[in-house]
Amino acid sequence: MARIGIFIDTLKGTLPSSFRDQLRSTLREIPEVAFSAEEEELVSSEALERMSKLLEREKVERVVVVGGSPKIYETSFQKWGLPLPLNSYLFTVANIREQVLWSSMDEKEAFEKAKRTILKALRIASSLKPIESQTLPLKPEVLILGGGLSGISIASTLAKAGIQVFLVEKEKTLGGKTTELWKFYNKEVEVKGWLEQKISELRQNPRISLLAPAQLKYLRGHLGRFQATVLTGKGEEMTLTPHVIVVTTGYRVERKRGGIYDHKRVITLSEMEKLLSETHPPFPLFEGKRVETVTYLLDETNEDIKLDAINALKQSLILQGSLKCQVTILCKEVKVSSEGMERLYRKARGLGVLFVKYEESPRLSLVDGQIQVEVKDTSILHKEDQWTISILSDLVVLPETILPHQELNELSALLKLHLGKRGFLMEDNPQLLRVRSNRRGIFVAGGCRFPQEISETLFEADALAQEVLALLSKGAYTYDLSVAEVDPKKCALCYTCPRVCPHSAITVEKYAEKNVYLTYGIPQNTQWGAAKVDPASCFGCGICVGECPARAITLRHYPDELIYIQMGVDG
Amino acid sequence: MANFEPKIIAFCCDQSGYPSADMAGALRLNLPKNVQIVRVPCAGRVEALYLLKALEKGADGVILFACYEDNCQYLRGNLRAKGRLSYVHRLMEKIGLEKERIEICYLATNSGVKLAETLERKSKELKRLGPNPCVDRR
Amino acid sequence: MIKAEQKPMEEILKAIDPYKKILLSGCGACVTVCHAGGEKEVGLLASALRMARKKIGKPLEILEATPARQCEPEYAQDLSELIEKVEAVLSLACGVGVQTLVRYFPKIPVLPGVNTTFLGETLSHGVWEERCQACGNCILEKTGGICPISRCAKQLLNGPCGGSSKGKCEIKKEADCAWQLIYDRLSSLGQLYKLEEMIPAKRWGVESRDSGLRRIIREDLKI
């Protein structure tokens, strides 16, 4: 067994002294223990300095910390990279406070169990192997897929910070869904001019290469070594080598069809937007006739997307406020949870816009060239007394159904990203890591993740740009090799691990000669002949280890031995 | 059954089981005496072999603590663990070992109480089932 | 690839009942890929068998090994050191592997631990389907790449039977009618004219499996 140094964290005296005495005498008997030092608060800077000096002097090979939960020690030693003269993975923690002393009834029993835990920790420490870190150089080159508002915004921010950006857009023109908007809901600026200025700035920016129309054909590689083949509109193939990829491909809309919904007086939100942009006061005209009554039918086509409510409210303020119309908004819930929306809602109510909440779908029918909308008014509590309101409308605005692009399935397969339950791209964590995808180095924002209105889209784009800058600014990505590793001699090339890996970090490099073992840091096109885990993209979860039918994969910081010792079956 | 303290091996993942075990301690909840906590980065790291080996080498019961479905930080670790557990259950059935000895329990980071209660319930259940019949009795 | 499934535990236990020390040998090729007999399954089965035998008071010692393949002479002979120490071998390889071991170790019982089921394709992870029955004279060119021997329940060679209904087979209701698939595929390739050529009856007794044990000899390769 290796020489082991023990640090007992008395946790400011919460470790009872009777226990400490017993422990000291037990440890004295064990030959591998070089020393056991006590500290009141092991993670304080003075204690760590003392620890550092002691380790240098005693020249131990492993360290065991006896104290509380491992997280706080790991954060100090590993994440903060404290200058300890020992590889930061050569230590283990015996969690005897939370998991032994505090959860045992009997003191004597607790001490016995704590001693057993510490002895186990000594065995674990002997089995540990050092884990090195590696650095992956990162160049400031980013590929952005999708030239809508998010893509344009991110491209500009990144270019300003000195990053070379390739912007690939499916259509010939940029702007996406934003080109259909006339006004913002919270700014007194017309969208068209604002957007055009952004686009012209982008076109003039020497750091942004615009490829439009163009589409992604293949993507190979991982963070820092992507190889993207793009097919341009002229039919030529270009190979780009970005180090980070951003996906902002947006969403599509579909008009609800069938029966009365095909009538020309049932229009979509974007058609109303266009109508308003062409309208001159005092009132809007539809086919030469005055429009007086407009009814919005929200939550029929999109159940829980705020975007419709925002646009409907914005349009209704114009219609009711300056175009002498009577607007009624029918909805299941009034969605005002966006910045400034509550104020606008009150303003709309003040202007006379009517809001009717419904539970059963309103009925539309044609009456003398107008659309009759019948809805039950649920503001009355007793269901039997709820009357049916009928509104004869010149125009009924029914928002389009918001859907993911039809090509998103294919694109997500090319990029090896996951799709969420609605068919949009899945973010890593909706609360904390909203712009990250399941793959390191690929970021997702905007409508392709979830459709939102402009200010939120711009915030998200900013957040994504910050993430990319944080990643690229140091010029390199440093990571520990606490990752999965495939033994190519045992790999049966069965493709199980690439399928199960949630982070798409495993590829099968299939060539002849399986019996060639290559160490880390191998060049890109070396023939490997087995499944290969990309260490920079691996998150160290260990799912592949349990799936491999040939037991060819090991998780370097959690090998079998470590688990067997913890189970107590290593004897 | 003779008065014995069932040996339970509890696989605790870094995202749910392990912090819950810490929390159970912080709340001073008493865990059954003979519980071994095995820390894993994700429930997906727990191979089917570990579950069987635990019993083979003398444990009376195994609990796999994992995150709720849809909640795994690595997307599908808990689902793969569930699949491996069902494979092991089928083997156990065929060799005459009670399926109840190995169980999966879903919880979150702050489920100290649920963890303690589950271990307590398991301990009682195992006392009823009796010690592991596949181990040499000394 | 060859697909196999682990035998029911009762059968395995009965087969190894008389022995006290066995070698459990997996195979690193086909049975690994279909998760039936690779190193992972060897470990699991060994653990389960040890416990099963301990439970009934007849302890069993199991040595575990997973050679890269069991069907080549060298790989099989590599196991000789381990085989010397045991009374029997429980092999999780396909039928070929079991019989290769039998040839090189004639004095020791070699028991199969898996049922070799078929030559199949992976439809998705964990789902495999039969595609080939090694008839020895491949007619896939004439049928647009869909094999009527393995995929048609009646092994018809010239068009569907009268029971083909809505693209499904009358023998196995969930299965697609192979001849419907053949027709659709040739149609999409613009090669329906191939169906006008009669495929003669297979000469099972002359050029296929009913003619007796089949062997391939390559004189140019012989050392």
Side-chain angles (χ1 to χ4, degrees), chain C residues 13-21 53 58 60 87 111:
Chain C
L13 283 170
K14 189 151 170 258
I16 59 171
D17 191 64
Y19 309 110
K20 291 204 199 63
K21 187 168 179 188
R53 287 283 288 253
K58 272 176 82 169
L60 174 67
E87 299 169 0
L111 311 159

Side-chain angles (χ1 to χ4, degrees), chain A residues 453-470:
Chain A
E453 58 85 22
I454 291 193
S455 341
E456 283 184 19
T457 306
L458 289 171
F459 275 135
E460 201 167 277
D462 250 347
L464 189 150
Q466 295 306 317
E467 286 257 2
V468 174
L469 288 172

Side-chain angles (χ1 to χ4, degrees), chain A residues 69 500 551 558 560 566, chain B residues 22 39 45 47 50 76:
Chain A
S69 193
V500 270
R551 305 206 78 223
Y558 266 100
D560 276 352
Q566 284 185 77
Chain B
D22 282 345
R39 185 181 174 207
R45 173 72 186 92
E47 299 184 33
Y50 301 156
R76 46 171 79 122

Side-chain angles (χ1 to χ4, degrees), chain A residues 477-494:
Chain A
Y477 176 62
T478 310
Y479 54 99
D480 287 336
L481 286 174
S482 51
V483 295
E485 189 184 349
V486 176
D487 179 352
K489 295 195 288 287
K490 289 169 99 176
C491 175
L493 293 169
C494 67

Side-chain angles (χ1 to χ4, degrees), chain A residues 155-404:
Chain A
S156 305
T157 315
L158 292 180
K160 214 187 292 181
I163 296 184
Q164 181 70 34
V165 176
F166 292 91
L167 182 55
V168 170
E169 162 57 46
K170 189 173 73 169
E171 312 288 341
K172 254 201 242 160
T173 50
L174 297 171
K177 292 278 171 309
T178 317
T179 50
E180 293 168 13
L181 279 178
W182 175 46
K183 278 228 169 108
F184 291 108
Y185 84 96
N186 54 357
K187 278 200 279 237
E188 270 310 310
V189 181
E190 273 198 22
V191 179
K192 186 154 178 255
W194 177 86
L195 185 63
E196 271 172 9
Q197 204 208 352
K198 275 197 180 287
I199 294 179
S200 86
E201 275 171 15
L202 186 130
R203 285 189 192 276
Q204 288 163 19
N205 197 322
R207 291 208 194 97
I208 304 181
S209 309
L210 179 58
L211 298 164
Q215 276 194 329
L216 181 73
K217 203 168 155 194
Y218 299 122
L219 180 68
R220 290 183 193 86
H222 300 277
L223 167 70
R225 295 143 292 165
F226 287 115
Q227 270 189 335
T229 306
V230 173
L231 188 61
T232 65
K234 301 195 199 80
E236 11 170 281
E237 275 185 18
M238 277 181 71
T239 302
L240 303 168
T241 53
H243 284 222
V244 163
I245 299 194
V246 175
V247 185
T248 48
T249 49
Y251 60 96
R252 73 178 164 104
V253 291
E254 213 175 69
R255 207 201 136 103
K256 186 169 172 142
R257 297 229 166 265
I260 188 95
Y261 300 118
D262 285 333
H263 196 274
K264 58 186 177 190
R265 284 183 177 269
V266 176
I267 61 174
T268 64
L269 273 173
S270 39
E271 284 168 354
M272 174 54 93
E273 189 92 10
K274 185 154 183 289
L275 179 67
L276 288 175
S277 68
E278 296 162 354
T279 297
H280 301 291
F283 38 72
L285 296 169
F286 186 78
E287 289 185 343
K289 291 209 209 97
R290 177 181 171 177
V291 171
E292 269 179 295
T293 323
V294 180
T295 307
Y296 282 82
L297 186 42
L298 302 179
D299 298 334
E300 265 278 293
T301 41
N302 298 314
E303 276 263 0
D304 38 359
I305 296 184
K306 305 188 280 195
L307 194 47
D308 297 339
I310 295 171
N311 281 320
L313 203 55
K314 166 188 81 180
Q315 290 173 356
S316 67
L317 283 169
I318 302 172
L319 287 166
Q320 185 96 12
S322 37
L323 295 177
K324 300 199 196 345
C325 292
Q326 173 57 53
V327 178
T328 314
I329 296 185
L330 308 177
C331 53
K332 284 202 177 128
E333 291 158 355
V334 185
K335 298 193 178 79
V336 288
S337 60
S338 292
E339 206 186 329
M341 275 289 282
E342 293 230 8
R343 251 176 269 127
L344 290 183
Y345 168 72
R346 278 224 291 273
K347 188 168 169 204
R349 289 285 298 264
L351 287 173
V353 173
L354 295 172
F355 286 85
V356 180
K357 279 177 76 170
Y358 67 86
E359 277 163 12
E360 293 165 29
S361 282
R363 235 171 50 89
L364 299 178
S365 47
L366 193 55
V367 173
D368 277 341
Q370 283 183 305
I371 311 273
Q372 177 173 267
V373 182
E374 288 169 284
V375 62
K376 262 216 176 103
D377 183 6
T378 58
S379 60
I380 300 171
L381 287 175
H382 293 286
K383 276 222 157 88
E384 314 83 61
D385 296 336
Q386 284 174 352
W387 342 4
T388 302
I389 306 174
S390 141
I391 311 166
L392 273 177
S393 326
D394 296 313
L395 288 176
V396 170
V397 183
L398 183 67
E400 308 95 319
T401 316
I402 292 178
L403 297 164

